[in-house]
Amino acid sequence: MSAIDVLEKLEEREIEELNRREFFKFCGRMAVLLGLSQTAIPRIARAVEKAARDGRPSVIWLNFQDCAGNTESFTRATAPSVGEALLDHVSLDYHEVLMAAAGHRAEERLKEVLKEYSGQIIVVVEGAIPTKDDGIYCTVAGRTAIQILKEIEPHALAFVAVGTCAAFGGIPKANPNPTGAVGLERIIRSKPVINVPGCPANPDVIMAVLVHYVLFNRLPELDAQRRPKFAFGKKIHDTCERRPHYDAGQFVLSFDDYGAKQGYCLYKVGCKGPVTYNVCAAWRWNMDASWPVKSGHPCLGCSERDFWDRYYPFYEHIPKTGGFGVEARADDIGKVALGLTGLTVGAHALYTAVVKSAERFAEKLASKAEEGTGESEGKDEGGEA
Amino acid sequence: MKRITEFITAHPYDLPVRISHWVMAFSISVLMITGYLIGNPPFSQPGDASDIFLMGTIRYLHFVAAYFLTAAFLLRLYWGFVGSRESRWSEMLRWDGRFWKHALDEILALVWPVRPWRLYFGHFPIAKIAYVFVYLAVAFSILSGFVIYASAQYSPLWRFVAEWGLKPFGDNLNWVRYLHHWLLWFFAVFVVIHVYLVVYMAVRMMTSEVEAMLGGYKIIRREDLAEGEEVESVA
Ligand code: HEM
Ligand code: HEM
Ligand code: SF4
């Protein structure tokens, strides 16, 4: 159903019916994303409705060193229109970007929420947290990000770090990291932290984490980097629709060549799919329309730790090697080293041969002068016996 | 006046050492070639993807060779604790005063070929240093290689390796791949020097080093032995 259909339906005042259908569509998608069977759909619907009725868990959303890209992404979650998501399906009680209140009112609301729902608050955090100089590089209402988080921590049920910045420090943490930015997991010690990295994070995955909680009353299973396994269990490369071209060895060599038109694999133009965990290939973006590799651009590895430093250059296979004056490719340095080794070895062979024959020549001269019986001849061939 | 030449038949390399050496040599050669092709595939041909499996085959060969290398390495690792004198890690790492004297002697004989070239019961001293780094590199190739390998495997055991094996690398898979890539050039340079020196010795001193690595026995002229080198003769 396109956005235009939605608007038309709204005008026809079929909003009730529309919401209901959209709502079940949403529950169906959540079931798929969480790996549940179809029979789970009514259960999801009941659980989400109950959560919306009770207004808990309460969700508050904090923005720190970020670009609000995850908020943008969240408002484009596939099934529910943003209004529904906010008002019905989750009770988003505080979100600086989306809430109507502002200034002191907003901060009062936050205090109320902390008091009212203490222990039942899921705190979504977007953006990295600066730690240098007491964290003064990011303040909201006069308090630093660290102060705000420490104040909320005792009241929280769990934290969800959305986006690579909140999860791993992301772009603010990129070398030389002027603000001492870190991911949320370095600040929050006493409460669970769920990482949903990505630049931005996939909106449906953020929703699915919340739905998982209201459905099962516990947080989803996490991997060693605290990412939900249902979304980060597989690499892009292992779910990519261009994969058959990779296995065949059919590559795009430049963005306007035959291979690009044929939809060949983007490995040679720097695709980081082989080293990136995310759902993009299976759970695409913008109403399931597309994702970077589908649209012809190599994966940048945006959901990986330190991707800005260690997955760069984006259009090359592996990072460059510094310390050689200019940044060079490992293979170029390697080839030079191998060439020099070959030359050295060759030169040494030649050198030995020359010195040795000179030595033998000198010996011959000496023995001739002595008029001896050639006793010294056995010396070099001795090993043959 | 007739000089008497005494020959010693030595048996420095046990069978497990020899097997592991040649399995390693062969598998590392395959790993270098296939690894280079994985990192820099020089091909891209048209056709129906379902008919071709070129990249897949290259990766397959890399992984088969990787398992062989791992087996050979584990065998050698074990034998270094239970094998004969020259197989032992304690001997490989015995970098004492005598060892450094021998190493200096070897370097001088390479720099100034008129100096006599000395022979040893087992390994040459400089080579021993190199072998320690080679075994470290092999161990690293196995660790890093299996971390990358595990990232595409989905059984619980492989998931465990993929998730926790990544920790020492700062949880960064591309960094593992980058470091793994460098192995190629480390081994390439080593093999050139290694094979050169083996051939060099064979030509300059008519030694039976390669024969020793193949069949286990080598013949050394007593007077060529390095000073203080202890030999166990079998004949
Ligand atoms: C001397 C030993 C080895 C050398 C020289 C070597 C070399 C290489 C090179 C150059 C690459 C390409 C890296 C890139 O993408 O730029 C590679 C990839 C790889 N190697 Fe090795 N390797 C060795 C041993 C191993 C071992 C023991 C394993 C264990 C399983 C292994 C597993 C892998 C894997 C999984 C990849 C990635 C393949 C892919 O991208 O699909 N390697 N290797
Ligand atoms: C990838 C290729 C190769 C690797 C990684 C390699 C590695 C090694 C290592 C680690 C050792 C020490 C053995 C031990 O554990 O005690 C060794 C010894 C030896 N290798 Fe290789 N080797 C390779 C290829 C070759 C080739 C092609 C030849 C023959 C031309 C050769 C001949 C020898 C000989 C004669 C020794 C004994 C030398 C000594 O006593 O110092 N190797 N090699
Ligand atoms: S386009 Fe990227 S993710 Fe897809 S198969 Fe090629 S390398 Fe893998």
Side-chain angles (χ1 to χ4, degrees):
Chain A
M1 185 175 290
S2 74
I4 295 183
D5 290 338
V6 176
L7 284 177
E8 276 174 1
K9 290 263 182 192
L10 285 174
E11 277 174 1
E12 288 166 22
R13 293 174 188 280
E14 287 178 8
I15 188 155
E16 278 293 302
E17 181 209 337
L18 174 89
N19 279 354
R20 201 72 199 146
R21 204 187 297 152
E22 282 278 286
F23 176 57
F24 274 97
K25 207 164 119 190
F26 164 75
C27 295
R29 288 181 65 89
M30 288 297 128
V32 175
L33 189 47
L34 291 171
L36 304 172
S37 83
Q38 273 198 323
T39 54
I41 297 174
R43 284 175 54 211
I44 294 177
R46 271 197 299 277
V48 172
E49 275 171 341
K50 182 169 181 301
R53 220 173 26 244
D54 301 350
R56 62 196 62 162
S58 167
V59 177
I60 62 179
W61 184 305
L62 306 173
N63 290 63
F64 296 126
Q65 280 184 312
D66 67 2
C67 63
N70 295 284
T71 299
E72 277 284 328
S73 172
F74 187 65
T75 60
R76 282 159 182 71
T78 320
S81 65
V82 63
E84 277 176 303
L86 292 180
L87 302 174
D88 292 348
H89 302 159
V90 296
S91 54
L92 195 59
D93 288 308
Y94 176 89
H95 189 308
E96 283 139 14
V97 182
L98 298 181
M99 72 199 300
H104 289 299
R105 284 258 212 83
E107 296 311 307
E108 266 162 35
R109 176 77 191 123
L110 179 59
K111 285 211 178 76
E112 274 169 39
V113 172
L114 289 186
K115 213 181 282 160
E116 207 174 321
Y117 297 105
S118 184
Q120 302 179 37
I121 306 172
I122 291 184
V123 186
V124 179
V125 175
E126 183 180 0
I129 297 109
T131 58
K132 221 180 195 169
D133 302 325
D134 293 330
I136 55 161
Y137 298 107
C138 177
T139 58
V140 179
R143 288 173 309 148
T144 66
I146 298 178
Q147 283 169 340
I148 296 171
L149 284 169
K150 285 291 168 200
E151 188 184 316
I152 293 177
E153 187 170 356
H155 302 286
L157 175 82
F159 285 80
V160 184
V162 301
T164 303
C165 298
F168 306 137
I171 291 167
K173 182 174 176 279
N175 204 18
N177 192 0
T179 64
V182 296
L184 189 64
E185 58 188 13
R186 296 287 203 79
I187 305 290
I188 301 301
R189 299 287 181 191
S190 68
K191 294 290 159 74
V193 175
I194 302 171
N195 287 334
V196 186
C199 195
N202 188 308
D204 288 352
V205 174
I206 304 173
M207 287 303 284
V209 170
L210 303 177
V211 167
H212 189 284
Y213 181 74
V214 300
L215 182 61
F216 297 113
N217 212 12
R218 64 185 156 80
L219 301 168
E221 210 186 329
L222 306 182
D223 68 11
Q225 294 190 53
R226 304 178 200 225
R227 299 172 299 193
K229 279 188 177 169
F230 69 79
F232 293 90
K234 280 196 170 134
K235 295 191 297 181
I236 297 284
H237 189 56
D238 298 320
T239 43
C240 174
E241 63 252 32
R242 294 184 187 235
R243 180 59 186 264
H245 292 299
Y246 170 86
D247 286 331
Q250 298 177 315
F251 301 110
V252 173
L253 303 177
S254 68
F255 290 109
D256 54 358
D257 68 359
Y258 173 80
K261 277 191 207 126
Q262 293 296 311
Y264 284 179
C265 165
L266 299 160
Y267 188 72
K268 281 189 71 103
V269 284
C271 183
K272 303 297 185 296
V275 282
T276 302
Y277 288 92
N278 209 338
V279 273
C280 310
W283 212 258
R284 295 178 287 207
W285 297 77
N286 297 331
M287 310 283 255
D288 221 6
S290 189
W291 65 293
V293 166
K294 186 184 180 195
S295 62
H297 193 280
C299 167
L300 304 182
C302 73
S303 57
E304 289 290 326
R305 212 175 274 268
D306 299 330
F307 83 100
W308 198 264
D309 292 326
R310 297 243 158 121
Y311 281 58
Y312 189 80
F314 295 144
Y315 300 102
E316 291 204 23
H317 178 58
I318 53 172
K320 301 217 173 176
T321 305
F324 282 82
V326 283
E327 305 251 295
R329 289 183 61 222
D331 285 336
D332 296 334
I333 302 169
K335 277 174 195 161
V336 171
L338 188 60
L340 287 179
T341 311
L343 283 180
T344 312
V345 155
H348 187 260
L350 206 64
Y351 166 69
T352 311
V354 169
V355 174
K356 277 288 170 195
S357 29
E359 192 188 1
R360 230 166 272 145
F361 185 65
E363 269 170 18
K364 228 179 228 160
L365 283 186
S367 63
K368 254 204 194 120
E370 256 179 43
E371 292 285 356
T373 52
E375 203 188 298
S376 64
E377 268 188 9
K379 197 181 176 196
D380 272 23
E381 287 82 33
E384 262 179 332
Chain B
M1 192 173 77
K2 196 85 186 143
R3 206 170 53 213
I4 296 181
T5 329
E6 190 198 338
F7 291 99
I8 306 159
T9 307
H11 184 69
Y13 309 126
D14 297 347
L15 185 62
V17 173
R18 284 176 277 141
I19 292 178
S20 111
H21 177 265
W22 293 112
V23 173
M24 267 195 336
F26 186 72
S27 59
I28 289 181
S29 308
V30 173
L31 285 161
M32 287 195 298
I33 296 165
T34 53
Y36 183 82
L37 293 174
I38 293 170
N40 311 269
F43 41 77
S44 180
Q45 79 281 54
D48 195 339
S50 58
D51 298 335
I52 322 169
F53 198 61
L54 186 52
M55 196 70 176
T57 308
I58 291 169
R59 289 175 66 238
Y60 174 73
L61 291 176
H62 195 82
F63 303 152
V64 171
Y67 275 105
F68 272 93
L69 177 67
T70 309
F73 177 71
L74 290 179
L75 175 66
R76 182 68 185 86
L77 192 67
Y78 168 70
W79 205 253
F81 294 105
V82 300
S84 68
R85 177 185 127 193
E86 197 60 22
S87 322
R88 300 239 170 189
W89 297 119
S90 53
E91 179 66 19
M92 192 77 104
L93 288 164
R94 189 184 50 76
W95 296 357
D96 53 14
R98 181 159 54 108
F99 171 82
W100 288 114
K101 235 181 104 248
H102 287 167
L104 183 70
D105 203 45
E106 191 186 351
I107 292 173
L108 289 177
L110 279 170
V111 172
W112 183 233
V114 175
R115 278 182 71 97
W117 181 280
R118 296 302 180 193
L119 300 184
Y120 300 86
F121 170 59
H123 298 314
F124 287 84
I126 308 177
K128 268 188 187 170
I129 304 175
Y131 298 151
V132 169
F133 286 101
V134 166
Y135 283 121
L136 286 177
V138 169
F140 180 76
S141 83
I142 293 170
L143 290 178
S144 58
F146 274 111
V147 168
I148 313 175
Y149 184 77
S151 73
Q153 310 294 325
Y154 297 109
S155 75
L157 185 66
W158 282 124
R159 288 315 314 154
F160 183 83
V161 174
E163 287 175 23
W164 294 100
L166 209 54
K167 292 284 168 197
F169 301 98
D171 272 336
N172 197 296
L173 195 53
N174 203 37
W175 194 241
V176 183
R177 183 164 77 163
Y178 169 74
L179 296 177
H180 189 84
H181 192 107
W182 267 110
L183 287 167
L184 165 61
W185 299 108
F186 172 84
F187 280 107
V189 168
F190 167 76
V191 169
V192 169
I193 299 174
H194 180 59
V195 173
Y196 171 70
L197 284 179
V198 167
V199 173
Y200 181 87
M201 277 184 312
V203 172
R204 180 166 162 186
M205 289 299 290
M206 310 293 271
T207 59
S208 42
E209 281 301 324
V210 180
E211 288 83 342
M213 225 356 136
L214 284 165
Y217 294 94
K218 68 177 170 188
I219 298 166
I220 313 166
R221 219 161 40 157
R222 166 84 62 192
E223 65 184 72
D224 285 339
L225 266 185
E227 204 189 319
E229 176 75 359
E230 293 148 26
V231 199
E232 295 152 16
S233 175
V234 288

